[in-house]
């Protein structure tokens, strides 16, 4: 089944919004996503294998065709984890403006 990236992103956003801040979706063994309060943020994991976040990326313009099947498979068997750096970031961040 082929799914446009926009549809996947919207579905992932709904799922992530249901979790507490600091939770990431473990999309692959090298990429995760989290909700930043406004949108889904996609990040690579560091090569060292320590599970820490590395740089952000945009799957719509970078890897969607290549990783489509892996990301769609994640929807059938979603895996999440709590990431200390996200929890720390959300605790230190100012609250988002409810007005937009």
């Amino acid at each position: 089944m082929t799914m446009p990236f926009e549809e996947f992103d919207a579905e992932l956003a709904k799922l992530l919004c249901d979790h507490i801040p600091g939770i990431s979706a473990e999309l692959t063994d090298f990429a995760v996503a989290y909700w930043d309060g406004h949108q889904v943020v996609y990040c690579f994991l560091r090569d060292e294998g320590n599970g820490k976040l590395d740089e952000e990326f945009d799957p719509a313009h970078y890897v969607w065709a290549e990783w489509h099947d892996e990301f769609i498979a994640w929807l059938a068997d979603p895996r999440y984890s709590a990431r200390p750096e996200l929890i720390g970031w959300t605790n230190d961040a100012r609250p988002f403006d409810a007005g937009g």
Side-chain angles (χ1 to χ4, degrees), residues 36-57:
D36 74 355
H38 298 288
Q39 65 186 7
V40 176
V41 177
Y42 296 85
C43 288
F44 289 116
L45 296 175
R46 293 185 183 258
D47 290 335
E48 296 88 39
N50 58 14
K52 294 197 181 220
L53 300 177
D54 198 0
E55 65 182 280
E56 296 178 11
F57 68 95

Side-chain angles (χ1 to χ4, degrees), residues 2-86:
T2 301
M3 177 184 280
F5 172 73
E6 295 75 19
E7 186 178 332
F8 173 82
D9 190 61
E11 185 66 26
L12 181 57
K14 284 189 268 182
L15 293 170
L16 287 171
C17 284
D18 286 343
H19 290 282
I20 61 170
I23 299 298
S24 65
E26 304 295 308
L27 299 174
T28 69
D29 59 349
F30 53 84
V32 300
Y34 65 91
W35 182 253
D36 74 355
H38 298 288
Q39 65 186 7
V40 176
V41 177
Y42 296 85
C43 288
F44 289 116
L45 296 175
R46 293 185 183 258
D47 290 335
E48 296 88 39
N50 58 14
K52 294 197 181 220
L53 300 177
D54 198 0
E55 65 182 280
E56 296 178 11
F57 68 95
D58 179 358
H61 297 103
Y62 183 61
V63 296
W64 185 242
E66 183 179 341
W67 295 341
H68 172 273
D69 293 346
E70 287 180 80
F71 283 24
I72 298 305
W74 181 89
L75 287 174
D77 184 21
R79 295 164 312 283
Y80 302 93
S81 67
R83 295 199 168 277
E85 64 263 51
L86 290 178

